[in-house]
Amino acid sequence: MHDFNYHKTSNIEEAVKVHMGAEDGTYMAGGQTLLPTLKQRLAAPTDIIDIAGVTELNTITVSDDVSLGSMATHASVANSSEVSSAIPALATLAAGIGDPQVRNRGTIGGSVANNDPAADYPAACLALNATITTNRRKIVADDFFTGMFETALEENELITSVSFPKPDKAAYMKFPNPASRYAIVGVFVALFGTDVRVAVTGAGDNGVFRPTEIENSLSSSFTASALDDTTISPDDLLSDIHAQSDYRASLIITMAKRAVAAAS
Amino acid sequence: MPTVTMRVNGKTVSGEVEARTLLVQFLREHLRLTGTHVGCDTSQCGACVVHVDGNSAKSCTMLAVQAIDADITTIEGLADGETLHPMQEAFRNNHGLQCGFCTPGMVMSAVDLVNKNPTASETEIREWLEGNICRCTGYHNIVKSIQEAAENVGG
């Protein structure tokens, strides 16, 4: 790991100001992805701006929607009885990220800003039509995730919270890599009235995406059997040592069926 | 170079580190607390697990500067003098280790589990150990150890 200047910050304005003054700064939330990335020298920022001390970002608020502060850890979301009763699928998703130690430190803001193509939270954001709030603006999930490890965030922009509307039914099903627990394929399904939103992570060669074929089939009938004749093209799917694209295409349908069957 | 001050096993300690110094390096190389191990250095194996403000964390995936003002407990901080912590005692009773390399992390992770969920089922224990890898035991006696410690602590 290359050395860097470390800045501990205690409020949003301070964090943004320090970032603006840095030559090549990066925010650090829980550091569970950033630190391994630095160790591999895949990134070498001049300055790290630690936002763990910005306590206003830790909040979890459940009212008409579920609003998670960007520094809410996966463990705090998984263990929140309010989140569990408002959107059970969201708490279940958080409980399945990495391992207990990673969940104690990893945060939703970090996960969403990083937009790893196999991360879990981007699927929840996209399927639940979440709104990502930053220090400058609100961005809907459909506009936020722009590609593999890429988002609509601009330089210095800091995510402050992510809010999720409550669906009538939702579930997330992941086929995890047994070593890393990242998704080989993860499918989040959500039903809002008659609107069906589905998001797939782990499989797309451009990151998280909404499979229109599955959404169309489920819009006519929100049942697992509605997907019996639905197929996904492997053309734009990832192919690697863990799974080839045609296998991922098949897994997407299987996981989507399981998610619909489990949706509550 | 940044100066870090934190509480480790109840004592306030401080030292000068590079910003990039990992918490595990600070513990092992500055404080000479070598009970915390580095296995994979990629946050997968869990040999480096310590408690940070009461929650288990992988000290190879945390900077020392992130632990400024935190309360850290390492494997050295569990025993009360000559009396082993109930989790350590249970690992000994149940042959919950062979080579012992993963054991400090296993024990620290298990203590965090029993603190939070004293009635954890066998399945919950096995799920909790997702982040701790043991190459010797096949996990069976580790799970037995944790079950016994939970009974002794939780009653």
Side-chain angles (χ1 to χ4, degrees):
Chain A
M1 193 185 324
H2 292 288
D3 208 10
F4 44 80
N5 301 310
Y6 172 81
H7 310 270
K8 213 175 183 66
T9 57
S10 56
N11 61 64
I12 294 167
E13 295 71 28
E14 181 193 8
V16 173
K17 198 175 156 193
V18 173
H19 198 305
M20 288 173 81
E23 185 189 333
D24 178 19
T26 186
Y27 293 118
M28 178 164 70
Q32 298 303 287
T33 297
L34 180 60
L35 289 171
T37 306
L38 296 180
K39 284 181 181 181
Q40 295 180 70
R41 298 190 173 180
L42 293 172
T46 58
D47 294 75
I48 285 186
I49 298 103
D50 188 349
I51 56 166
V54 184
T55 49
E56 61 197 295
L57 300 178
N58 291 340
T59 51
I60 294 178
T61 314
V62 177
S63 51
D64 290 343
D65 56 11
V66 172
S67 180
L68 306 177
S70 56
M71 280 301 299
T73 63
H74 309 322
S76 67
V77 174
N79 296 330
S80 162
S81 53
E82 283 188 299
V83 175
S84 292
S85 60
I87 311 180
L90 195 56
T92 308
L93 175 145
I97 298 173
D99 59 51
Q101 288 73 40
V102 168
R103 293 195 288 274
N104 278 339
R105 299 204 54 83
T107 67
I108 181 168
S111 172
V112 169
N114 190 50
N115 193 17
D116 188 299
D120 298 301
Y121 264 126
C125 291
L126 209 49
L128 291 172
N129 198 17
T131 299
I132 292 98
T133 302
T134 75
N135 61 316
R136 294 182 204 159
R137 57 187 170 141
K138 292 180 184 297
I139 310 167
V140 292
D142 281 321
D143 296 335
F144 183 84
F145 301 103
T146 54
M148 192 181 276
F149 295 111
E150 293 198 1
T151 68
L153 288 172
E154 291 166 3
E155 192 64 22
N156 314 318
E157 193 168 11
L158 179 65
I159 298 175
T160 54
S161 67
V162 182
S163 55
F164 298 89
K166 288 183 205 167
D168 297 313
K169 285 184 171 184
Y172 178 61
M173 281 289 154
K174 169 162 74 163
F175 191 87
N177 177 313
S180 70
R181 294 287 150 182
Y182 271 104
I184 289 176
V185 166
V187 179
F188 202 115
V189 300
L191 181 68
F192 293 89
T194 54
D195 280 350
V196 176
R197 290 178 66 100
V198 179
V200 175
T201 187
D205 66 3
N206 205 26
V208 66
F209 68 97
R210 289 174 61 190
T212 45
E213 306 89 330
I214 295 178
E215 289 186 345
N216 290 341
S217 300
L218 292 177
S219 293
S220 44
S221 164
F222 194 74
T223 57
S225 57
L227 298 174
D228 283 348
D229 299 322
T230 307
T231 55
I232 293 275
S233 163
D235 288 350
D236 297 325
L237 300 184
L238 291 167
S239 213
D240 56 28
I241 57 166
H242 305 300
Q244 290 182 326
S245 56
D246 55 348
Y247 180 47
R248 278 189 162 92
S250 168
L251 272 179
I252 290 170
I253 300 296
T254 303
M255 291 297 119
K257 283 183 173 183
R258 289 184 191 174
V260 171
S264 61
Chain B
M1 291 215 295
T3 301
V4 294
T5 302
M6 65 189 83
R7 279 170 68 81
V8 177
N9 300 330
K11 279 189 215 148
T12 301
V13 297
S14 54
E16 272 201 356
V17 297
E18 288 183 305
R20 62 178 170 176
T21 302
L22 299 171
L23 177 60
V24 72
Q25 289 176 294
F26 181 69
L27 295 172
R28 289 179 55 85
E29 295 166 21
H30 292 246
L31 303 181
R32 299 287 171 192
L33 291 172
T34 53
T36 303
H37 290 168
V38 180
C40 68
D41 199 24
T42 55
S43 52
Q44 295 181 66
C45 81
C48 66
V49 170
V50 300
H51 294 182
V52 179
D53 293 327
N55 293 309
S56 55
K58 293 186 167 172
S59 62
C60 83
T61 308
M62 196 173 157
L63 300 169
V65 286
Q66 285 179 284
I68 289 173
D69 296 333
D71 216 324
I72 309 292
T73 306
T74 70
I75 189 75
E76 290 92 343
L78 284 189
D80 180 10
E82 293 295 303
T83 310
L84 291 179
H85 184 280
M87 189 62 73
Q88 293 172 305
E89 193 61 51
F91 269 68
R92 184 166 76 171
N93 288 344
N94 292 283
H95 197 57
L97 60 144
Q98 287 181 31
C99 87
F101 193 87
C102 73
T103 312
M106 283 285 177
V107 169
M108 296 311 289
S109 185
V111 169
D112 189 26
L113 168 64
V114 173
N115 283 346
K116 288 171 181 163
N117 183 3
T119 56
S121 66
E122 181 184 338
T123 306
E124 288 172 319
I125 292 171
R126 288 182 182 275
E127 282 175 357
W128 185 269
L129 294 180
E130 176 62 44
N132 292 86
I133 294 174
C134 173
R135 301 283 77 177
C136 307
T137 63
Y139 302 93
H140 197 69
N141 286 353
I142 293 174
V143 174
K144 260 171 71 183
S145 305
I146 298 170
Q147 287 174 311
E148 182 185 292
E151 279 169 28
N152 291 343
V153 174

